[in-house]
Amino acid sequence: MSNAETQSKTIIGIVDQTVVQLFQTMVSLEATPGAGSTNAPRTTVFSGMSGSVGLSGRVTGIVYATFSEQTAKHIAEKILGCGVGEAEMTDAVGELTNMVSGNLKSRLCDLGFNCSLSIPSVVRGESIRVSAKNAALGVSNEYTLEGFDRPVSVHVYATFEN
Amino acid sequence: MSNAETQSKTIIGIVDQTVVQLFQTMVSLEATPGAGSTNAPRTTVFSGMSGSVGLSGRVTGIVYATFSEQTAKHIAEKILGCGVGEAEMTDAVGELTNMVSGNLKSRLCDLGFNCSLSIPSVVRGESIRVSAKNAALGVSNEYTLEGFDRPVSVHVYATFEN
């Protein structure tokens, strides 16, 4: 885990596995990871609903998971088994982002990079521009969901302690 | 620091002092704190440029500092002493948010609540809806800047360890 490329690939590997398992388990949906990028631009434009959770410790960073409103609604309905409003959609996005981040945190901990999580917050809007200039590495991937037009995307910006 | 009201007032006190000093020192502007809220709604709508930094440790949470584009531009120009573009505005917002959060972190540490910071990220857009439902407390305040129409606002959502 000594260089940025290895760290980036490790993160994408963990996130891919987590997202696929999470969608399977939580909402019985098949999520197919894209090729992924180990050099994601530090400034990205999102639209829809984007959950974020900060990491701090031997790895410092932030995880963003972005869902279209359609996807967020579907997931919240599947989890709750009833019609949902904005509050439930926000909850679902926050909770899924927290689960992805939590799993990333434990896997990084297993690799000797202990860190802890901040609370999840959810940002909703069109053309939300996110910038994490101080991060040593930026990785991202998109996950196509069967039956949905827009993929879910996950961005992780992080700096590993030497 | 045993109840939410005391914790909330402590946070607002620290943030007020930090923001006033920061504006005075960094950009020679007088920032006047509003009355502040110790029960800020967990869902808020921002517009402009909003920096965020996560806290984790004995206090877990997130700090948002929101600036109008005009304010962000002015601050970046004052700091750099030249005309600036979007990248420099984003940097300035991220850096000021990081300084507010860093000071909050050290003061909480002095009070026995050790925590560390995630990296700053900056969100830009109109009607950015931020939700931090899991936070035990939410505080906010606005800071009027001489010569500017829109105030700077700071929101802190946090949960203290028992």
Side-chain angles (χ1 to χ4, degrees):
Chain A
M1 296 284 281
S2 57
N3 68 61
E5 183 67 14
T6 313
Q7 292 161 351
S8 300
K9 285 188 175 160
T10 303
I11 290 178
I12 287 206
I14 297 170
V15 172
D16 282 356
Q17 201 181 1
T18 307
V19 170
V20 170
Q21 282 177 354
L22 207 55
F23 275 93
Q24 189 64 61
T25 318
M26 300 279 295
V27 288
S28 311
L29 278 179
E30 191 179 332
T32 309
S37 163
T38 53
N39 191 16
R42 298 301 184 273
T43 297
T44 321
V45 178
F46 297 144
S47 73
M49 300 181 78
S50 188
S52 69
V53 174
L55 298 171
S56 63
R58 292 204 59 209
V59 182
T60 302
I62 191 156
V63 177
Y64 279 96
T66 307
F67 303 76
S68 70
E69 308 230 340
Q70 182 206 13
T71 312
K73 189 163 189 292
H74 178 83
I75 293 170
E77 285 175 350
K78 273 269 201 171
I79 293 174
L80 296 170
C82 60
V84 296
E86 175 161 332
E88 291 80 15
M89 288 160 65
T90 303
D91 283 354
V93 167
E95 194 45 47
L96 284 180
T97 309
N98 205 28
M99 290 165 89
V100 172
S101 310
N103 204 45
L104 179 60
K105 170 197 122 106
S106 8
R107 296 283 300 278
L108 289 173
C109 179
D110 294 344
L111 294 168
F113 290 90
N114 287 31
C115 55
S116 53
L117 302 180
S118 71
I119 53 174
S121 66
V122 177
V123 168
R124 180 182 188 175
E126 296 306 309
S127 302
I128 300 163
R129 185 177 295 269
V130 164
S131 182
K133 309 271 295 209
N134 297 354
L137 58 91
V139 306
S140 65
N141 207 356
E142 294 197 329
Y143 304 90
T144 309
L145 299 176
E146 44 176 354
F148 291 82
D149 288 343
R150 282 178 53 196
V152 171
S153 70
V154 176
H155 286 72
V156 181
Y157 301 106
T159 302
F160 282 66
E161 199 178 274
N162 283 327
Chain B
M1 297 284 281
S2 57
N3 68 61
E5 183 67 15
T6 313
Q7 292 161 353
S8 300
K9 285 187 175 160
T10 304
I11 290 178
I12 286 204
I14 297 170
V15 172
D16 281 357
Q17 202 182 358
T18 307
V19 170
V20 170
Q21 283 177 356
L22 207 56
F23 275 93
Q24 189 63 63
T25 318
M26 299 280 296
V27 287
S28 311
L29 278 179
E30 191 179 332
T32 309
S37 163
T38 53
N39 191 17
R42 299 300 184 274
T43 298
T44 322
V45 178
F46 298 143
S47 74
M49 300 181 78
S50 189
S52 70
V53 174
L55 298 170
S56 64
R58 292 204 60 209
V59 182
T60 303
I62 191 155
V63 177
Y64 280 96
T66 308
F67 303 76
S68 70
E69 309 230 338
Q70 183 206 12
T71 312
K73 189 162 189 291
H74 178 83
I75 292 169
E77 284 174 351
K78 274 269 200 172
I79 294 173
L80 296 170
C82 61
V84 297
E86 174 160 334
E88 291 80 14
M89 289 160 65
T90 303
D91 283 354
V93 167
E95 194 45 47
L96 284 182
T97 309
N98 205 30
M99 290 165 89
V100 172
S101 311
N103 204 44
L104 178 60
K105 170 198 122 105
S106 2
R107 297 285 299 277
L108 289 174
C109 179
D110 293 344
L111 295 167
F113 290 90
N114 287 31
C115 55
S116 52
L117 303 179
S118 71
I119 53 174
S121 66
V122 177
V123 168
R124 180 181 190 176
E126 295 307 308
S127 302
I128 300 164
R129 185 177 295 268
V130 165
S131 182
K133 310 270 295 206
N134 296 356
L137 58 90
V139 305
S140 65
N141 207 356
E142 292 198 330
Y143 304 90
T144 310
L145 298 176
E146 44 177 353
F148 290 84
D149 289 343
R150 282 178 54 196
V152 171
S153 70
V154 176
H155 287 71
V156 181
Y157 301 108
T159 302
F160 283 66
E161 199 179 272
N162 283 326

